[in-house]
mmCIF file with all atom_site columns, all heavy atoms in Angstrom:
data_model
loop_
_atom_site.group_PDB
_atom_site.id
_atom_site.type_symbol
_atom_site.label_atom_id
_atom_site.label_alt_id
_atom_site.label_comp_id
_atom_site.label_asym_id
_atom_site.label_entity_id
_atom_site.label_seq_id
_atom_site.pdbx_PDB_ins_code
_atom_site.Cartn_x
_atom_site.Cartn_y
_atom_site.Cartn_z
_atom_site.occupancy
_atom_site.B_iso_or_equiv
_atom_site.pdbx_formal_charge
_atom_site.auth_seq_id
_atom_site.auth_comp_id
_atom_site.auth_asym_id
_atom_site.auth_atom_id
_atom_site.pdbx_PDB_model_num
ATOM 1  N N   . ALA A 1 19  ? 2.260   -88.584  -17.895 1.00 0.00 ? 46  ALA A N   1
ATOM 2  C CA  . ALA A 1 19  ? 2.092   -88.854  -19.323 1.00 0.00 ? 46  ALA A CA  1
ATOM 3  C C   . ALA A 1 19  ? 3.429   -88.893  -20.066 1.00 0.00 ? 46  ALA A C   1
ATOM 4  O O   . ALA A 1 19  ? 3.652   -89.760  -20.908 1.00 0.00 ? 46  ALA A O   1
ATOM 5  C CB  . ALA A 1 19  ? 1.165   -87.814  -19.944 1.00 0.00 ? 46  ALA A CB  1
ATOM 6  N N   . ALA A 1 35  ? 18.142  -93.660  -26.600 1.00 0.00 ? 62  ALA A N   1
ATOM 7  C CA  . ALA A 1 35  ? 18.500  -92.588  -27.532 1.00 0.00 ? 62  ALA A CA  1
ATOM 8  C C   . ALA A 1 35  ? 17.405  -92.385  -28.581 1.00 0.00 ? 62  ALA A C   1
ATOM 9  O O   . ALA A 1 35  ? 17.020  -91.250  -28.877 1.00 0.00 ? 62  ALA A O   1
ATOM 10 C CB  . ALA A 1 35  ? 19.831  -92.895  -28.206 1.00 0.00 ? 62  ALA A CB  1
ATOM 11 N N   . GLY A 1 72  ? 26.430  -106.007 -28.248 1.00 0.00 ? 99  GLY A N   1
ATOM 12 C CA  . GLY A 1 72  ? 26.081  -107.332 -28.751 1.00 0.00 ? 99  GLY A CA  1
ATOM 13 C C   . GLY A 1 72  ? 24.574  -107.516 -28.861 1.00 0.00 ? 99  GLY A C   1
ATOM 14 O O   . GLY A 1 72  ? 23.786  -106.585 -28.698 1.00 0.00 ? 99  GLY A O   1
ATOM 15 N N   . ASN A 1 98  ? -10.912 -90.098  -17.965 1.00 0.00 ? 125 ASN A N   1
ATOM 16 C CA  . ASN A 1 98  ? -11.661 -89.599  -19.119 1.00 0.00 ? 125 ASN A CA  1
ATOM 17 C C   . ASN A 1 98  ? -13.146 -89.925  -19.015 1.00 0.00 ? 125 ASN A C   1
ATOM 18 O O   . ASN A 1 98  ? -13.993 -89.074  -19.321 1.00 0.00 ? 125 ASN A O   1
ATOM 19 C CB  . ASN A 1 98  ? -11.077 -90.166  -20.416 1.00 0.00 ? 125 ASN A CB  1
ATOM 20 C CG  . ASN A 1 98  ? -9.693  -89.629  -20.714 1.00 0.00 ? 125 ASN A CG  1
ATOM 21 O OD1 . ASN A 1 98  ? -9.284  -88.610  -20.182 1.00 0.00 ? 125 ASN A OD1 1
ATOM 22 N ND2 . ASN A 1 98  ? -8.955  -90.337  -21.537 1.00 0.00 ? 125 ASN A ND2 1
ATOM 23 N N   . ILE A 1 117 ? -21.969 -83.858  -9.967  1.00 0.00 ? 144 ILE A N   1
ATOM 24 C CA  . ILE A 1 117 ? -20.935 -84.133  -8.965  1.00 0.00 ? 144 ILE A CA  1
ATOM 25 C C   . ILE A 1 117 ? -21.553 -84.854  -7.771  1.00 0.00 ? 144 ILE A C   1
ATOM 26 O O   . ILE A 1 117 ? -20.993 -85.834  -7.266  1.00 0.00 ? 144 ILE A O   1
ATOM 27 C CB  . ILE A 1 117 ? -20.229 -82.829  -8.520  1.00 0.00 ? 144 ILE A CB  1
ATOM 28 C CG1 . ILE A 1 117 ? -19.369 -82.285  -9.663  1.00 0.00 ? 144 ILE A CG1 1
ATOM 29 C CG2 . ILE A 1 117 ? -19.374 -83.061  -7.272  1.00 0.00 ? 144 ILE A CG2 1
ATOM 30 C CD1 . ILE A 1 117 ? -18.842 -80.871  -9.433  1.00 0.00 ? 144 ILE A CD1 1
ATOM 31 N N   . LEU A 1 120 ? -22.163 -88.489  -8.548  1.00 0.00 ? 147 LEU A N   1
ATOM 32 C CA  . LEU A 1 120 ? -20.913 -89.248  -8.503  1.00 0.00 ? 147 LEU A CA  1
ATOM 33 C C   . LEU A 1 120 ? -20.429 -89.459  -7.070  1.00 0.00 ? 147 LEU A C   1
ATOM 34 O O   . LEU A 1 120 ? -19.962 -90.545  -6.725  1.00 0.00 ? 147 LEU A O   1
ATOM 35 C CB  . LEU A 1 120 ? -19.835 -88.545  -9.327  1.00 0.00 ? 147 LEU A CB  1
ATOM 36 C CG  . LEU A 1 120 ? -20.008 -88.613  -10.838 1.00 0.00 ? 147 LEU A CG  1
ATOM 37 C CD1 . LEU A 1 120 ? -18.995 -87.723  -11.535 1.00 0.00 ? 147 LEU A CD1 1
ATOM 38 C CD2 . LEU A 1 120 ? -19.880 -90.043  -11.340 1.00 0.00 ? 147 LEU A CD2 1
#
Side-chain angles (χ1 to χ4, degrees):
N125 292 341
I144 290 169
L147 288 172

